[in-house]
Amino acid sequence: MNDWILVPVLMICALFFSVSCKKNPEEESGNNYRIEGPENFQVENTEKDEEGHQRMLNLLAGIRDLTSKNNQYLGDGRARQARELLANATPQTPVKENWFHHRILGWAELNLGNEIEGIKHLKLAYDLLPEVKDSIEEKRVMENIFMLGVAWMRRGETENCCARFTPESCIIPIRGGGLHTKEEGSRNAIRYFEEILKKAPAKSVWHYRARWLLNIAWMTLGQYPGSISKDYLIPEDSFRSNYQFPVLHNIASDLGIDTFNLSGGVVIDDFNNDDYLDIFTTSWASDANPKLFISREDGSFTESQVPTHLEGIYGGLNVEPADYNNDGNLDLFVLRGAWLAAAGGYPNSLLRNNGNGTFTDVSFNLGLANIHRPTQTAGWADFDNDGDLDLFVGNETTPGNKAPCQLFRNDGEKGFVDVALSAGVTNDRFTKGVSWGDYDNDRYPDLYVSNFRSENRLYHNNGDGTFTDLAPTLKVTDPSSSFPAWFWDYDNDGNLDIFVSSYSGNIEHVAAHRLNEDADFETLCLYRGDGNGNFINVANDAGLQDPVLPMGSNFGDINNDGYLDFYLGTGDPGFGSLMPNLMYLNVGGSKFVDVTMASRLGHLQKGHAVSFADLDNDGDLDLFEQLGGAYPGDAFRDALFENPGFKNHSITVKLVGKETNRSAIGARIKATFNEGGKARSVYRHVSSGGSFGANPMRQTIGTGSAEKIQSLEIFWPVTGATQKFTEIECDQSIEIVEGSNTYRPLDLTPRPFLKKNSG
């Protein structure tokens, strides 16, 4: 029995009910629709609330003030030290020592955004190479030349893609408005990359790195492929998709939501309870406030004009949404301290949505901020099925800094209690991805934990407050360099599968792979589940064999065919890690094809949080990407790619829990319809996000050419009950409250995007 709606017979007899709904449920019921769950309400801050909020503001202000000293990415300690050493140099200082300090200072200045100074010192180090090359490793010589080329490359990006931004900026293959009008950066970069290619052995790491960036640099000048030597060319076919796909245009600048920032998180959902989707973003910079963009009737977005109480809530590499107190207002959990090891002992923030446009940090008052550990991932789920949401926080254990993960049980007004130790889920590893899902259909959510450079965990929920790691038994421990991970049903068989990507494969691997040459990298894993607790890795059969290096990622049905596609935001903190973010299309639940180039979604800047959401209410999913690197000098503008439509149909389903948590996290949807004379079903499960980026809780379900759903079934995990509705027209949004005998059509009209700058 593989179908998730099959629960023990006695439970079905006691709890199952089915209701047939007509096109107009209000007329059939004979009265107006009324929510039977808890009503939305506003919260007034108590004195204790204000004290807790201020306590967090004070702590975050202190972290901001110490950033320069303590943060290896955002601070300037390395630059200050190198400047001092060079200032104190004398004629007797060894040349090798001066070379070393110029190289270090050059790179440090680039990281800080001081590109001219960075280039100056890297050039001074380069000029000293003839004197020191015999006393240093060959790779240091290549590294020096490469760093100088990369520094000029970034200068070109700053003068063009940042200062003269167009929607085509940094989209590979680079053309049109993405071409650089100020050419100095790219032309100087070309000089140094060609020097490496003349010196480096063929098929070496330095050869592939320089070759890849050389081709990109010529692209920025509009002189690819004609100006590139045949020996160094990456063929044009490497920058084409073999699968036809429409172009998605970046309209974020038109809408004024293209925040220029560093890496961070995004949540797209309804924060003011008007049923329209809003946008919440964070940046991990220690002096950056969150941004809340509210949807407006004219198709625009505006940063919230009321005092949101978010001023001073600095930082946040990731953010996870959930209505933790079941009051009908969506709350947010902001995560901090990732990658910083012992120096990353930062507090996380639970931001309570007060229902009046303001947020209050209740972390200290609810027991979530007493222990500070470096983290960037978390996930909400009701692991004990008591009707409220619990929270797993994935912390980063590194050599010399043990940081166990935390499982916070929600005890309502008493706050949260860490039960990770007794539950057996401390996972003392470098945690980078978290996903909850009931893979064996026993109504209790299980937990998949992705660990970087150590085995992954699959914690089976025993239903008694404890978990057992079955990953080795079920053979789902790979890949070893794991990062993003999620539960999903990619093949629509009703059983949850596991996606887990490897943080492996940089530009040298991309270049070699596109040249059909050997490249040593770890591929991602796609574990297909059978619903009985077993998995098999089908990544190769599904066509997922490319080098990817994702932090940000998410999934959604981009073409409304009923099958879930996915997008990867790629790149590491290094400035030279310019590789396209990747879009994969799910073809019939059996394979995935790369449509990055055809769709124009191959952004070269560092991709972080990703969200699929129907922001203009036209029935298809748009794609938002929070862009930006880890260093102050590597910021970029966020992107919103508008879905052009695929002439397929869809239905959007918003679930409201009553016995189950209000967010309906853990609930499952089964939509059955007739397409082309054949019956088919599409499955969705409600979750809160994962590594970076969170989709709306509401589910937009593509139905292909089908205009009507014959059967819509909602499975609620707390009670084990299933609601069933029949004969529902597609191309609308509906709300279903747990236990209600009808559904409510949401009064949502399309809001075509107001493109102010493009007319």
Side-chain angles (χ1 to χ4, degrees), residues 504-536:
S504 172
N506 214 312
I507 56 173
E508 61 267 29
H509 305 98
V510 173
H513 190 66
R514 291 179 183 267
L515 290 165
N516 294 315
E517 298 176 5
D518 292 337
D520 186 17
F521 59 90
E522 188 179 35
T523 57
L524 60 81
C525 292
L526 177 62
Y527 296 109
R528 187 179 66 212
D530 65 1
N532 296 315
N534 303 304
F535 294 92
I536 182 172

Side-chain angles (χ1 to χ4, degrees), residues 137 210 600:
E137 296 177 88
R600 302 288 288 156

